[in-house]
Amino acid sequence: MALRFEHRDTEIDVSIVDRVWRTRSGADDTMTSAARTCWQLILSRTQECLLASLRGPETRATTAPVPPYTEFLGVRFTLGAVLRPHPAASIINGYVPFPVTDSGRVVIGGEDWEAPTYENVECFIRRLLDAGLLVRSRLRDEEHVAGHAGPTLRTLQRRYRAVTGLSQTAVTQIDRANAAATMLRDGHDWRAVVEALGYFDQAHLARSLRRYVGRTARELREGDQASMSFLYKTHPGPGS
């Protein structure tokens, strides 16, 4: 049985949190994880055992094992948000596990925090903000002054990669592939996708989907029932 993902917006500033999601597994399975530009906090519960980790941006689609009978909670943070001391650039295509106390509290930044739930995750995020562990980057603000009294474009590009772990070109390509997958899942023909998103031709689209989403256009349009996760949301332009 394919995983069913439920997700929602939050009341937190959109410059920090993109989306909150949850799902539950049945028997042993695998899933395709699409490339994504943002890092995520993921908690999983299996038979009262809590695990917590920070999963970094992913530059390609991957196949991951799914443990059986597990509840997952994920918080997807906005491009440029930083959880100290773990910048996204340090966990590209990887993850950092967080210790969990015997009482089920998550240790982040040397302090233990009550594990959030799907319903109250805003409280958890606000506490991290108040503690100075979760911060907004200044990349967008710096972009506005580039070429004037502020940093040069090259300096901004270095800072962009240092904070996000990705180049602006990579962010554009990954977001576009996820947008294409969304359009195809919604029933659009590949020609409409090529025209709307600026792909050169069908072959260009196919290569992008294979690399970043792990599915063909036909599989997406036909509603392939294998478990996969992709959630498209546009990012502002370079420097955001």
Side-chain angles (χ1 to χ4, degrees), residues 16 39 41 54 77 80-91 96-99 106-111 113 124-125 127-138 163:
I16 286 289
W39 56 272
L41 176 67
L54 188 67
F77 290 84
V82 176
L83 182 65
R84 294 172 170 167
H86 304 290
S90 69
I91 48 174
V96 174
F98 291 130
V106 181
V107 180
I108 301 176
E111 299 182 50
W113 308 84
F124 176 79
I125 295 169
R127 289 169 184 157
L128 293 179
L129 286 166
D130 291 342
L133 292 175
L134 182 60
V135 297
R136 303 170 177 84
S137 75
R138 298 178 56 194
V163 171

Side-chain angles (χ1 to χ4, degrees), residues 7-239:
H7 26 77
R8 67 175 178 85
D9 294 324
T10 75
E11 301 171 0
I12 301 295
D13 188 336
V14 294
S15 68
I16 286 289
V17 178
D18 184 348
R19 198 66 65 90
V20 178
W21 59 264
R22 66 179 173 183
T23 189
R24 181 194 299 264
S25 67
D28 282 308
D29 199 358
T30 60
M31 65 167 286
T32 299
S33 178
R36 58 187 71 246
T37 57
C38 303
W39 56 272
Q40 302 183 82
L41 176 67
I42 300 178
L43 292 89
S44 63
R45 294 182 184 273
T46 306
Q47 297 179 346
E48 303 305 321
C49 177
L50 175 66
L51 299 175
S53 66
L54 188 67
R55 184 159 295 278
E58 298 178 70
T59 59
R60 60 188 180 275
T62 57
T63 300
V66 179
Y69 310 111
T70 303
E71 295 181 358
F72 297 92
L73 168 66
V75 184
R76 181 183 178 188
F77 290 84
T78 305
L79 186 74
V82 176
L83 182 65
R84 294 172 170 167
H86 304 290
S90 69
I91 48 174
I92 293 292
N93 296 320
Y95 73 99
V96 174
F98 291 130
V100 176
T101 67
D102 291 340
S103 59
R105 296 172 68 88
V106 181
V107 180
I108 301 176
E111 299 182 50
D112 57 277
W113 308 84
E114 181 180 354
T117 67
Y118 186 74
E119 291 76 19
N120 71 5
V121 72
E122 284 85 356
C123 295
F124 176 79
I125 295 169
R126 289 191 181 99
R127 289 169 184 157
L128 293 179
L129 286 166
D130 291 342
L133 292 175
L134 182 60
V135 297
R136 303 170 177 84
S137 75
R138 298 178 56 194
L139 292 176
R140 186 184 301 180
D141 295 336
E142 290 177 345
E143 182 194 24
H144 295 319
V145 297
H148 299 285
T152 65
L153 179 59
R154 180 170 295 180
T155 297
L156 286 176
Q157 290 172 340
R158 286 198 299 268
R159 291 182 184 176
Y160 188 97
R161 185 184 285 272
V163 171
T164 68
L166 301 168
S167 68
Q168 295 168 3
T169 297
V171 168
T172 298
Q173 291 174 341
I174 293 169
D175 277 351
R176 183 168 62 166
N178 278 280
T182 301
M183 290 183 67
L184 290 162
R185 270 268 175 110
D186 289 344
H188 292 277
D189 181 81
W190 68 263
R191 295 176 182 82
V193 175
V194 166
E195 181 176 355
L197 298 179
Y199 286 101
F200 183 73
D201 55 18
Q202 183 182 15
H204 185 200
L205 170 63
R207 287 193 299 271
S208 179
L209 291 174
R210 185 166 55 250
R211 176 174 180 178
Y212 297 119
V213 182
R215 288 289 186 275
T216 66
R218 175 176 293 181
E219 288 170 337
L220 289 162
R221 289 202 68 208
E222 293 179 352
D224 181 3
Q225 294 302 306
S227 294
M228 71 173 300
S229 170
F230 70 88
L231 176 61
Y232 170 67
K233 185 173 182 179
T234 56
H235 294 306

